[in-house]
Amino acid sequence: MADSKGQRLLLFDLDESIRYSKFDNSVEGVAPSPKPKPKEDSTKLSMMIGVFLPCILAIFSGILFLRLGFAVGQGGVLESFGMFLLGYCIVTLTSLSLSAISTNGAVEGGGAYFMISRALGPELGGSIGVMFFIASIFSSSLYCIGFTEALTDNFGETGFYTSNSTFQLPAGQWYTFAYNSAVLFVCLLVCIIGAQMFAKTQLIIFLTVMASIISSIVSFVFAKPDLVIGYTGFNVDTFRDNLFSNYTIDHSTMKVQSFVSVFAVIFNGCVGIMAGANLSGELKNPSKAIPVGTLGALAYTGLIYIFLIFLIAFTCTRELLLDNYNFLQYINLCPVLVAIGIFASTLSAALSALIGASRVLIALANDSLFGPILWPVQKLVTKSGNPIGAVLVSWLLAEAMLLIGELNTIASLVSIFFLLSYAAVNLACLALDLASAPNFRPSFKYFSWHTSSLGMIGCLVMMFLIDVMWASVSVVIFMILILVVYFRTGGSQWGYISQALIFHQVRKYLLLLDTRKDHVKFWRPQILLLVANPRSSCNLIKFVNDMKKSGLYVLGHVQQGSVDEFPTDPVERELPAWVRLVEVLKVKAFIELTLAHSVREGAQHLIRVSGLGGMKPNMVVMGFYDEVLPEDSLFQVQNPRRGYYGTVAEDTEGGNALLQLPPLRAEGEDKLLSREEYVCLILDIVRLKKGVCLARNFHNFNREDLALHGRKNIDIWPVNFLKPETAGYFDTACIFLLQVACVVHMVPLWKKHTQMRVFLCVDSDYASTNHKKEKLKKFLTELRIKAEIVTVPWNHITVMNRSEEADNEMASNLVTRVSEDYLQALNSMVRDHADNTAIVFSYLPMPPVDRGLHGQYLHEMDLLTRDLPPTMMVHGLGEVTLTTM
């Protein structure tokens, strides 16, 4: 694998050690000795402990024990089953996307954030990382509230164990907040100790929760009816009563429930799929553990949820389910197991959410996407890698969220933020699949763009169905975060999925662009600008950008030499400077650089191969050939971010890339292109069936001045001055000239601050002049070109040329050229009308084929355009506009 600075080789040996060795530009080099195989970290977590169990416990959380009966009581069996089916469809589709991404390369710390950011780039990845962090914070608070709710249900004023006891937990808003805070503080202590402590608690908590679930199932079978008012045992009538929905007021929020509001609560029983992915940095083999553990946990929990829904529907009346969230404990043969199960599951879920939030936060800090605001988080990390700073920040934010206090309210917010995060995971997988990138080949194969699309659409639809306001707020926050990260970060070494998608779509549409279907009605300029040195061509580059009218624009440059003369490609070394130049000038152009033995040969290559498919240049622009020393115009270019006129040396934002541009030609230094070759190049362009434009005096052009000095003129001289006898009619080249000038005038800046003037060269005869003017006016109207027609008598000038022609014909039968006096008079005529002119468009006569006359031709063009305002001499081929529809 090679880079521009040297040869960089990827070495792989049978000991499974992969390393890079860096050589200089020479071919020879000595590879370093192999590095020893790293030992497997015994502190890493297995799939069972690191993914499977955390996902199960996070999915069950408190929903299984505290809100499953609420769902059946409100929605009935059918709609409750539909809620879980819908929720599990969304999270299963998301898990497929997550599995595909996680098996497409090494996964580091940061879980979902790491995978999304490396897939979609820093803007989307960083924004979704923050959203996922917020969702985890809300989730941690939610489960702490669930723990406290179970605590007061058992030991409060009307608690299961203390209703007839003198010992009762004090009740009240701030007491509840204190209990929540105490639970969260326990989670903090476990997180500070580290991931190993977290892992050791998982197996114990899992066994405790399973004991609670098994005791509940056994109790449904063996508990006697009327053990609690509303418990009927297995009864078909009870099942029939619970079959359909009966939405009513929830006694905790005092709001009438609906399918969506109940789903918002129940969905939190499905959202634990990221619990394992959040610990990706602590897993032994995350690429294998995440898909297997996550999908296994979904299958395991889904079966238990379905089984319990039917058990509840057959044995418990709707009144019991609606009035008592903790009914499972009241009908259990061993109530203490249910209480312990609720405490264990909610504590585990809160712990998992808090530790997951801290891992996402430290990953965000390490990537430096939000600048110094996260530096303290990045610094406070133990030697073992435990992010103490991130844990403390996550704990403080979760503590603030506890002030909301109501489980059902927080549940809706958690669902919305998780749904947005899951939508992003599906989007990442969808984008990677649609981009058809060769390097996207995950070992997990059970996904497609269909599954990713359905998962993403499902997430977004349910987000807005749950709560339009909060869903909109979350989207606005997401967009703001995207903008913050975009303006905060420069280039990314992670890659941008947007580039892969753009490539995929552009390739597809380029193949559909059929040149056989071209029509003059839809003609647009597609321009190749041949640049000798960009330092002296900045003004011209910006002007030609206005000429293109949403067409193709290519900057071409020829470097003289041979590949054999260089150890590496010299063109590749210059490319970053050209790319930066395009950014600084704010032009929409492609760059084509080539190496050739001569400038003419290289220019022919560029004219032939520039563009792709149906997007090929139809006109070529070059600077005029003269002996004037070029001026460095880069120092006049306004820096696009700093807002001042700086020098090349101050382009620190571009890494001083512009310094790599070649120096200007010094006094006494020969040009790389001779006068004869330059004229031959004009003929080459015509032979290759391209329009040709020669630009002169653009060192005097400043686009920004258009808005500063009143309304200026665009002067158009559609007459071949070397053949004045043709002034009475417009040929194809004249119409091409009018079209190009009209295109420039259509640009908003030019349209606002300039007006077009078409000059009609006429004899002094009034009647003839009037007739020609009316005829031209009608022709411009048919072409939809709005311009002022200015008549210019030129009898006194054409007389000079006719006298010279007569003298030449008497002296020789050879082809004659026009006189210098004639050309100088024409030049004076144009200058006399150019006091307030921004740009002059004039007809470019074709050069003679005879090489002996090439020098004379250039001299004539020089006399015609000397000391004029910025001038564009144009000669076009073929039709470019119509007078009919």
Side-chain angles (χ1 to χ4, degrees), residues 126 133 143-144 153 289 291 359 362 423 442 454 512 566 605 613 638 644 673 702 738-739 800 826 832 875:
F133 170 73
Y143 299 135
C144 288
D153 282 347
R359 271 33 181 194
I362 189 62
L454 287 174
L512 295 175
F566 302 93
H605 295 166
Q638 187 176 20
Y644 64 85
L673 189 68
N702 190 334
L738 286 169
Q739 179 78 340
M800 298 182 191
L826 288 174
D832 289 343
H875 190 96

Side-chain angles (χ1 to χ4, degrees), residues 425-498:
V425 174
N426 286 297
L427 173 62
C429 186
L430 174 66
L432 288 168
D433 195 30
L434 290 180
S436 301
N439 283 320
F440 182 62
R441 44 180 186 271
S443 56
F444 182 85
K445 302 298 182 183
Y446 303 102
F447 77 98
S448 70
W449 69 267
H450 304 87
T451 60
S452 302
S453 301
L454 287 174
M456 182 180 67
I457 294 170
C459 290
L460 296 175
V461 169
M462 289 313 302
M463 240 178 69
F464 282 92
L465 287 179
I466 289 171
D467 193 311
V468 174
M469 186 190 74
W470 280 109
S472 302
V473 168
S474 66
V475 171
V476 170
I477 294 173
F478 176 58
M479 298 303 295
I480 292 173
L481 289 169
I482 288 177
L483 293 175
V484 170
V485 178
Y486 175 79
F487 288 110
R488 269 281 316 144
T489 59
S492 169
Q493 57 183 331
W494 308 335
Y496 293 88
I497 187 62
S498 58

Side-chain angles (χ1 to χ4, degrees), residues 10 22 29 54 72 115 202 219 249 258 326 341 367 438 475 545 558 590 634 689 738 750 756 776 780 841:
L10 175 65
K22 187 76 175 282
V72 177
M115 288 179 268
Q202 295 299 290
S219 297
I249 296 175
S258 64
N326 198 25
D367 288 336
V475 171
N545 187 61
V558 180
F590 298 97
L634 269 177
K689 298 182 179 180
L738 286 169
W750 289 87
M756 288 197 297
L776 177 57
L780 293 178
F841 284 95

Side-chain angles (χ1 to χ4, degrees), residues 843-884:
Y843 188 109
L844 174 65
M846 277 293 90
V849 178
D850 186 355
R851 288 197 173 207
L853 297 175
H854 286 178
Q856 177 65 20
Y857 170 80
L858 265 187
H859 179 63
E860 291 168 353
M861 295 301 100
D862 174 52
L863 291 176
L864 265 177
T865 58
R866 187 178 295 173
D867 300 326
L868 291 182
T871 301
M872 186 67 71
M873 293 179 282
V874 181
H875 190 96
L877 306 174
E879 286 186 299
V880 292
T881 187
L882 292 173
T883 59
T884 58

Side-chain angles (χ1 to χ4, degrees), residues 774-793:
E774 288 299 320
K775 191 175 179 180
L776 177 57
K777 183 178 180 181
K778 180 181 178 182
F779 181 65
L780 293 178
T781 301
E782 291 176 347
L783 294 177
R784 289 88 62 203
I785 295 176
K786 184 179 180 181
E788 177 188 358
I789 299 175
V790 180
T791 55
V792 181

Side-chain angles (χ1 to χ4, degrees), residues 85-105:
L85 182 63
L86 176 60
Y88 266 80
C89 282
I90 290 174
V91 296
T92 300
L93 292 171
T94 304
S95 296
L96 297 180
S97 299
L98 179 69
S99 300
I101 297 172
S102 65
T103 58
N104 190 52

